Amino acid sequence: MTSGAGTPLTHRVGRRHLLGVAAVATLTSLGVLRGAYTRREPGRTDRARPAPEEGAFEEMYRGRHIQGVPLAPGDGRAPGDWHVTVDGRRLGVMRRADGSYLSMVDHYASYGTPRAAARGAVDELGAGEALRGHTH
């Protein structure tokens, strides 16, 4: 079966398919590289990317009072342990192996700092719900 100037139809379709695959692969790799090298806005961090250690914090966030104090290593505490509260109630915050933090309110999300973990817990709790139960 031929079409056009004597070129088999299957040969033309195969060539177009290969060109399409090559174009998609090139554009995909450029998109991945662009994402890796894109500059971030100052002060903006990924939730999961660990940020440099911060000191104690205290702030009102979405109408909730959040506080955090780094704890000194020793007595069973590891470097990076924090005492974090939301409206005066303890929020369990734990450091992950990659240096990010998780809160006991949301075990699945990673946050770059304990402050970000506390804010994430407030977001997850919603307007009227308070911390309750065990902090692990």
Side-chain angles (χ1 to χ4, degrees):
M1 176 170 12
T2 59
S3 174
T7 308
L9 180 61
T10 55
H11 180 68
R12 284 187 14 199
V13 170
R15 189 174 19 174
R16 286 183 189 155
H17 179 72
L18 287 175
L19 287 173
V21 168
V24 168
T26 301
L27 292 173
T28 301
S29 64
L30 288 174
V32 168
L33 290 174
R34 181 174 180 231
Y37 290 103
T38 301
R39 295 179 65 145
R40 299 207 177 273
E41 297 172 20
R44 181 178 167 200
T45 60
D46 281 346
R47 285 174 58 167
R49 180 174 294 156
E53 283 298 318
E54 64 179 343
F57 61 89
E58 181 176 3
E59 70 178 22
M60 290 299 288
Y61 177 74
R62 295 191 175 192
R64 301 289 188 95
H65 183 234
I66 61 173
Q67 286 183 279
V69 178
L71 299 174
D75 295 330
R77 291 187 300 264
D81 281 352
W82 282 75
H83 177 79
V84 178
T85 61
V86 175
D87 294 332
R89 293 180 171 222
R90 180 150 168 87
L91 170 67
V93 173
M94 187 171 77
R95 191 162 199 173
R96 294 178 181 263
D98 67 0
S100 64
Y101 292 84
L102 67 85
S103 79
M104 295 304 132
V105 171
D106 185 0
H107 295 299
Y108 302 106
S110 293
Y111 299 94
T113 64
R115 179 191 308 248
R119 288 176 176 172
V122 168
D123 293 341
E124 193 69 26
L125 284 171
E129 196 173 347
L131 286 175
R132 55 190 146 92
H134 300 292
T135 60
H136 295 268

